[in-house]
Amino acid sequence: MNDGTKIPKNHRDAALAYAALGIKVFRVRRSKAPYANCARCDMKSSIYIKHRPEECQCGVATCHGFHAATTDTNLIHRWWTEEPDANIGAPCKLNGWAVLDVDPRNDGHTSLCALEQRVGVLPGTTMQITGGDGLHMLYLSPGFDLPGEPFPGIDFKHNGYILLAPSVHSSGCRYQWPGTGNVFHKPTTGWPSTLLPRKEKPRTPGQARRQTSLSGIRRPGKHWTVETLVQHVMDAGEGNRNASLYFAACRANESADQGALDLYEAENALVSAGQAVGLTDGEILATIQSAARRPSDKTWVAA
């Protein structure tokens, strides 16, 4: 593993340190939601120009959420001078990463133990302790999409983003790299072959057709967090953004009823996410209010 880079405690200096390593970063609100799009990228605007977020040329440096991530030191310096306490986001796929995210609030550590009992101990790699006392395991991207949440309390983050130390969690605790000195090591280990989709697993000549299955790990209803609710809205395709916001708002209400998250925090994050994907404030408010009035479906289980 490389010698690593000491990450400063100051958010602006930390963001600049990551950029110097070639890691694209962007500002993230304390609600973990990205910033809203400009009028040219708002589908309801009279000057909207149809385009893919990753191909945006509007010139607004925070447009389209994590697609705004950059290594431009001048822009990064400006962003964090304007908002010194903004958290540091890093898109996974755009940085060549795939991240195994373990959330202890939803039994992620138990799922990780069960996973390793079935497929063997996962290869050592760069790890980050999250502000929620969870774990990020950073691997190199396998080059194709991965399922989002395969097991309770475990996410495979590839198309989305993660926060980087010293960002602050809603609990008030900071993200940090393990060990002394908060030293970051760029990941060099590839995504574990045992976690590849079945059709992508490499075969050796004469290998038997039997393959390791992960389906034996029990997967109950999906456990939603503010981060996954926001990501669900951000991942919505054109024409499906309002429905995705409604779905996320329904899940937020159900999770809040179960004491799994703070509804006020979740709704504020969903408002920002809705703005970021081009919904008007009126649409967002009506959708969230409609979800709040909907009877809770206690039997809902994720597909």
Side-chain angles (χ1 to χ4, degrees), residues 113-162:
C113 290
L115 174 62
E116 291 194 320
Q117 285 178 353
R118 294 191 62 83
V119 304
V121 176
L122 298 178
T125 190
T126 300
M127 294 190 289
Q128 178 177 229
I129 300 171
T130 73
D133 199 29
L135 182 68
H136 285 158
M137 301 176 68
L138 282 65
Y139 292 99
L140 299 180
S141 170
F144 46 83
D145 290 341
L146 298 168
E149 296 182 63
F151 316 113
I154 291 182
D155 296 350
F156 290 169
K157 289 191 173 179
H158 192 216
N159 291 324
Y161 61 91
I162 60 173

Side-chain angles (χ1 to χ4, degrees), residues 1-300:
M1 183 175 286
N2 49 65
D3 292 336
T5 301
K6 183 178 176 61
I7 301 300
K9 294 181 180 179
N10 177 280
H11 286 208
R12 183 190 64 192
D13 293 343
L16 289 169
Y18 290 122
L21 295 171
I23 298 169
K24 297 178 180 180
V25 296
F26 68 108
R27 285 188 304 188
V28 180
R29 299 180 189 275
R30 281 299 178 89
S31 65
K32 298 183 181 175
Y35 284 72
N37 297 331
C38 70
R40 290 180 181 272
C41 303
D42 182 348
M43 291 190 297
K44 302 301 180 182
S45 169
S46 61
I47 60 173
Y48 169 68
I49 300 175
K50 185 176 180 180
H51 60 279
R52 293 168 58 87
E54 60 270 29
E55 297 170 353
C56 181
Q57 298 180 9
C58 69
V60 177
T62 56
C63 216
H64 293 293
F66 64 75
H67 290 288
T70 183
T71 57
D72 184 329
T73 55
N74 291 329
L75 181 56
I76 291 170
H77 189 279
R78 192 186 87 198
W79 277 348
W80 271 274
T81 298
E82 293 173 350
E83 295 187 57
D85 295 328
N87 279 331
I88 304 169
C92 299
K93 190 173 183 179
L94 294 181
N95 278 311
W97 301 342
V99 179
L100 193 151
D101 181 8
V102 181
D103 183 359
R105 293 172 299 177
N106 295 314
D107 297 324
H109 290 153
T110 301
S111 291
L112 180 60
C113 290
L115 174 62
E116 291 194 320
Q117 285 178 353
R118 294 191 62 83
V119 304
V121 176
L122 298 178
T125 190
T126 300
M127 294 190 289
Q128 178 177 229
I129 300 171
T130 73
D133 199 29
L135 182 68
H136 285 158
M137 301 176 68
L138 282 65
Y139 292 99
L140 299 180
S141 170
F144 46 83
D145 290 341
L146 298 168
E149 296 182 63
F151 316 113
I154 291 182
D155 296 350
F156 290 169
K157 289 191 173 179
H158 192 216
N159 291 324
Y161 61 91
I162 60 173
L163 298 185
L164 298 179
S167 295
V168 181
H169 187 263
S170 57
S171 65
C173 296
R174 291 188 180 274
Y175 289 68
Q176 58 184 313
W177 303 110
T180 59
N182 200 31
V183 174
F184 167 72
H185 299 270
K186 291 187 73 172
T188 58
T189 305
W191 182 258
S193 61
T194 52
L195 300 183
L196 293 175
R198 185 179 294 263
K199 66 179 180 180
E200 301 291 349
K201 290 183 180 179
R203 290 180 177 275
T204 57
Q207 180 182 4
R209 296 188 61 85
R210 181 183 64 82
Q211 297 201 32
T212 303
S213 172
L214 305 181
S215 61
I217 299 177
R218 186 175 61 88
R219 186 179 191 273
K222 191 172 189 175
H223 297 276
W224 293 94
T225 64
V226 174
E227 299 100 307
T228 54
L229 290 169
V230 167
Q231 193 64 57
H232 181 80
V233 177
M234 295 298 294
D235 286 343
E238 186 175 348
N240 195 40
R241 294 180 173 92
N242 214 321
S244 293
L245 176 62
Y246 177 74
F247 178 92
C250 287
R251 304 291 80 77
N253 278 275
E254 292 168 5
S255 296
D257 287 344
Q258 298 165 10
L261 55 72
D262 182 279
L263 184 59
Y264 179 78
E265 178 188 0
E267 288 185 339
N268 280 341
L270 289 177
V271 167
S272 297
Q275 293 171 336
V277 298
L279 296 176
T280 66
D281 290 345
E283 288 176 315
I284 294 168
L285 180 60
T287 299
I288 290 178
Q289 289 179 339
S290 179
R293 293 191 296 267
R294 177 180 178 272
S296 178
D297 182 1
K298 302 296 185 181
T299 64
W300 182 85

